[in-house]
Amino acid sequence: MHIPQKETTEIPLLTFQEALDAANTPNPDYDIEKWLYAPNFYSEYRYILGTRGKNPLICVGINPSTARPDALDNTLKSVERIALGNSFDSFLMFNVYAQRATNPDDMEKTYNPALHRENLEAFRYALSIGQHPAVWAAWGAIIEKRDYLPSCLLDFLSVGKEFGARWFCAGKCSKRGHPHHPLYLRKDEKLRPFDAEAYLHTLGETL
């Protein structure tokens, strides 16, 4: 379990570029040729965790939990299976909000603009890796936990447009239209197109 010890405004934050530079530096704890982990140490926040490749599937959840290189949780194991089963050579786990919290109810009540800004930079980087970036919407109903989450997601949609991102979902969407969380999906589940803009518009009307 990861329970946040402080508000993210009370801790020093690496910029994403600083975190990326460190992630590209040899680390005795894991193989940097295989893993992309930014920041490259366990902290109160995480921008990206995934494997390196030329055609990654970018999975977007709500917020990170305890996973790290060579110690994936069940959610990340499922993400990797779905990515490889849909002809991607790697996966990148990204989140709408970068604060670690195993229970989303423990997320901070007010978002940190600096953390969000650097998280946007992380998303830009993830989108820049492949020629035709594919983004898997996989946050489930947890997006309703905090008022700031839909607004954060809207920013990611805008950035995605700059890169021509294609959005997908997997499994059945909820009655309210939320895309399925990666857990409890069949290992051979296939991705299908997801209209993220229409979803956000409907979400804004119902919240």
Side-chain angles (χ1 to χ4, degrees):
M1 293 286 291
H2 186 98
I3 301 172
Q5 299 302 302
K6 294 182 177 180
E7 298 288 302
T8 58
T9 53
E10 299 174 8
I11 62 174
L13 293 177
L14 291 179
T15 67
F16 173 68
Q17 187 58 56
E18 290 170 337
L20 180 62
D21 291 343
N24 290 329
T25 302
N27 190 308
D29 295 329
Y30 63 92
D31 181 4
I32 67 165
E33 298 297 321
K34 176 182 178 181
W35 296 101
L36 176 60
Y37 183 41
N40 67 340
F41 56 89
Y42 194 90
S43 182
E44 291 288 330
Y45 64 100
R46 190 187 76 210
Y47 297 127
I48 290 178
L49 170 60
T51 51
R52 295 184 185 264
K54 295 182 179 179
N55 181 35
L57 175 61
I58 305 166
C59 181
V60 181
I62 286 298
N63 69 300
S65 182
T66 61
R68 50 192 182 273
D70 296 318
L72 299 183
D73 57 23
N74 288 335
T75 294
L76 272 290
K77 290 176 182 177
S78 180
V79 170
E80 184 170 38
R81 283 194 300 269
I82 298 299
L84 298 178
N86 281 269
S87 301
F88 295 91
D89 66 0
S90 53
F91 78 94
L92 295 174
M93 188 68 213
F94 181 79
N95 290 280
V96 175
Y97 197 63
Q99 182 191 28
R100 282 191 195 263
T102 301
N103 185 342
D105 288 333
D106 292 328
M107 292 172 63
E108 48 201 3
K109 300 294 193 296
T110 303
Y111 94 118
N112 179 347
L115 183 62
H116 177 57
R117 181 179 64 247
E118 296 307 323
N119 207 31
L120 274 172
E121 291 305 309
F123 193 50
R124 287 179 182 276
Y125 175 79
L127 291 168
S128 74
I129 294 174
Q131 292 186 340
H132 305 288
V135 183
W136 173 13
W139 47 78
I142 304 171
I143 197 167
E144 296 186 17
K145 290 286 185 178
R146 293 290 183 267
D147 292 342
Y148 56 79
L149 293 172
S151 296
C152 290
L153 181 58
L154 182 60
D155 290 338
F156 297 126
L157 257 65
S158 296
V159 171
K161 285 183 180 179
E162 298 175 21
F163 290 84
R166 300 164 296 150
W167 287 80
F168 298 90
C169 63
K172 186 177 180 181
C173 291
S174 73
K175 291 181 179 180
R176 290 172 64 83
H178 299 306
H180 202 292
H181 190 275
L183 279 179
Y184 312 120
L185 290 174
R186 299 194 321 268
K187 62 182 180 180
D188 60 348
E189 192 78 53
K190 296 303 179 185
L191 298 173
R192 65 178 192 279
F194 179 70
D195 190 336
E197 281 195 70
Y199 162 78
L200 260 184
H201 178 73
T202 300
L203 183 63
E205 292 180 338
T206 58
L207 288 180

